Amino acid sequence: MRPVIPYVTAALLFGLGVYGVLRRRNAVLVLMSVELMLNAVNLILVTADTTAKAVLPHGGQVFALFVIVLAAAEIGVGLAIVLQLYRMRASVAVDEIPLTEQHTAEPVHAMMVGQASPAAGSEPEEPR
């Protein structure tokens, strides 16, 4: 078997996945592009396992199985993040996600129970 065709196919899949990650604005499409890249790696692992004489028998196929398990976990966590993002922002556009922490008007210590805001000019109450 000539390994050129699977390697070229894997390179094209990986390139398409990189393009999708870099250019897409929708979080679901970014996750699909990451899956394309992982599948390209699986194709390379299985092709290398069948063409090269490895020390471990079926080592590439075992690694491909681990990549499939990793991809399933990544999709589970990624979709949970996308759903939470959609609930909070009503959009899944990646470029609209705030990457910096937004500060509130009141300090954290002022939001404790039984204390007034220091901005209001009153002193905090004494504990009872």
Side-chain angles (χ1 to χ4, degrees), residues 81 85 89 93-103:
I81 291 171
L85 178 69
R89 303 256 180 211
V94 177
D95 57 348
E96 295 177 4
I97 299 173
L99 298 178
T100 58
E101 183 178 329
Q102 296 178 357
H103 298 286

Side-chain angles (χ1 to χ4, degrees), residues 53-124:
K53 299 294 181 191
V55 177
L56 295 172
H58 306 295
Q61 294 173 4
V62 171
F63 282 125
L65 185 61
F66 283 129
V67 170
I68 290 170
V69 170
L70 177 74
E74 176 255 337
I75 282 298
V77 172
L79 283 178
I81 291 171
V82 168
L83 284 173
Q84 186 64 29
L85 178 69
Y86 183 74
R87 287 180 185 162
M88 291 175 62
R89 303 256 180 211
S91 172
V92 289
V94 177
D95 57 348
E96 295 177 4
I97 299 173
L99 298 178
T100 58
E101 183 178 329
Q102 296 178 357
H103 298 286
T104 59
E106 295 183 13
V108 175
H109 63 81
M111 291 190 277
M112 296 173 62
V113 177
Q115 292 183 348
S117 172
S122 63
E123 294 293 322

